[in-house]
Amino acid sequence: MQDRERLVDLEPQIEHRMALVPLKPTCCSSIDSTNDACVIIEACFQGYLNLVPRRAYPDELLAKSGNVFVYEGHSSGVELWQDNVVWGPAEPLHGFLVYDELKKLVSCKGLSVDYRADTIKVGGLVKKTFTAMIGRVSLHLVAYHTKADGVREPRAPILRRIVPRLGMIPVDPNRLMPWDNGKEKMSWK
C-alpha cells in the first residue's frame, strides 16, 4: 500500500520531469513508401524505436527535414499533431496525406504575419502523414522532407530485419479527409 501511495505522490514530479525532456524524433529517415512507414511503425510496436511520449510545446521546432515522429494518440495525449508550421491543404498521395509548407508574408509595418494559401514556400518542407491500425490501436506517423531531398538515407541495420505484421492495416487517407460540400475532389495519384 505504501508503494502505491508513493507512486501517486510521484506522479506530478514525473509529469514535470517529462515536460523538461526535449521531444525527439522517433527516427531520422526518408519515408518513400507505405512499406517504409509500416516498418517504422512496426519497429515502434516491437520496442526498437520510441513512440512520441507527449504533445509538442509551442516553442519546440520539430519540423526538420528527415525527422520522423510516431505517436499513439491516447497514451501521448496528442489528438492533433502540431508543429508550428503553416501547411497547405492535404492531398492524398500513394497512401499518405501530403502537405506543402506555405510562405509567410509580413505586412509593411512589420506588425503582423499573414499566410497566403496559394503560395507554397520555395524550398519549404513537405509533411507526410500516415496512420495504421494494429488491433484496436491507431499509430500515426508524421515525416518531414524537402523536395530537394532526393537521396534516400540507408535504413538502420535493425530496421532491415523488421517485417510489418500481417495484421497491420494502413488507414485509407481518404477516410481521414474532411470533404468540402460533400464533393469528392481529391483522388489517388
Side-chain angles (χ1 to χ4, degrees):
M1 191 65 160
Q2 283 182 330
D3 289 337
R4 189 172 289 166
E5 289 173 0
R6 286 183 64 214
L7 283 175
V8 170
D9 290 341
L10 287 176
E11 280 182 20
Q13 292 176 17
I14 291 169
E15 286 179 22
H16 176 69
R17 285 186 187 152
M18 184 76 121
L20 298 176
V21 175
L23 200 58
K24 294 182 180 176
T26 298
C27 64
C28 292
S29 181
S30 63
I31 305 296
D32 298 324
S33 68
T34 55
N35 186 64
D36 290 345
C38 288
V39 165
I40 299 293
I41 288 173
E42 181 67 30
C44 291
F45 203 77
Q46 292 183 20
Y48 292 111
L49 296 173
N50 294 322
L51 291 170
V52 173
R54 62 170 176 78
R55 272 194 257 179
Y57 295 121
D59 60 340
E60 290 181 296
L61 301 175
L62 306 177
K64 294 179 185 168
S65 187
N67 280 358
V68 179
F69 298 89
V70 179
Y71 67 94
E72 190 276 319
H74 180 73
S75 64
S76 66
V78 178
E79 292 179 23
L80 179 65
W81 184 258
Q82 298 196 351
D83 51 25
N84 301 313
V85 176
V86 177
W87 301 100
E91 289 286 335
L93 180 66
H94 305 299
F96 296 93
L97 287 178
V98 180
Y99 306 79
D100 288 310
E101 184 178 4
L102 297 182
K103 187 189 299 186
K104 286 183 188 178
L105 299 174
V106 181
S107 72
C108 295
K109 296 178 184 177
L111 299 175
S112 65
V113 176
D114 190 20
Y115 295 92
R116 296 256 328 256
D118 61 340
T119 308
I120 294 174
K121 183 176 180 181
V122 176
L125 288 170
V126 173
K127 175 172 78 170
K128 286 183 180 177
T129 63
F130 178 83
T131 299
M133 298 284 295
I134 299 178
R136 293 183 178 199
V137 177
S138 291
L139 294 169
H140 309 278
L141 178 139
V142 179
Y144 301 96
H145 67 90
T146 63
K147 291 182 180 177
D149 293 342
V151 179
R152 179 176 167 74
E153 296 180 27
R155 192 174 279 172
I158 192 73
L159 295 179
R160 289 186 203 134
R161 293 180 280 164
I162 301 290
V163 177
R165 64 189 65 217
L166 292 175
M168 184 181 299
I169 303 168
V171 176
D172 180 355
N174 286 310
R175 290 185 50 205
L176 302 174
M177 292 295 304
W179 301 113
D180 292 321
N181 301 327
K183 297 176 190 170
E184 192 167 322
K185 65 176 186 177
M186 295 181 203
S187 62
W188 291 96
K189 295 179 183 174

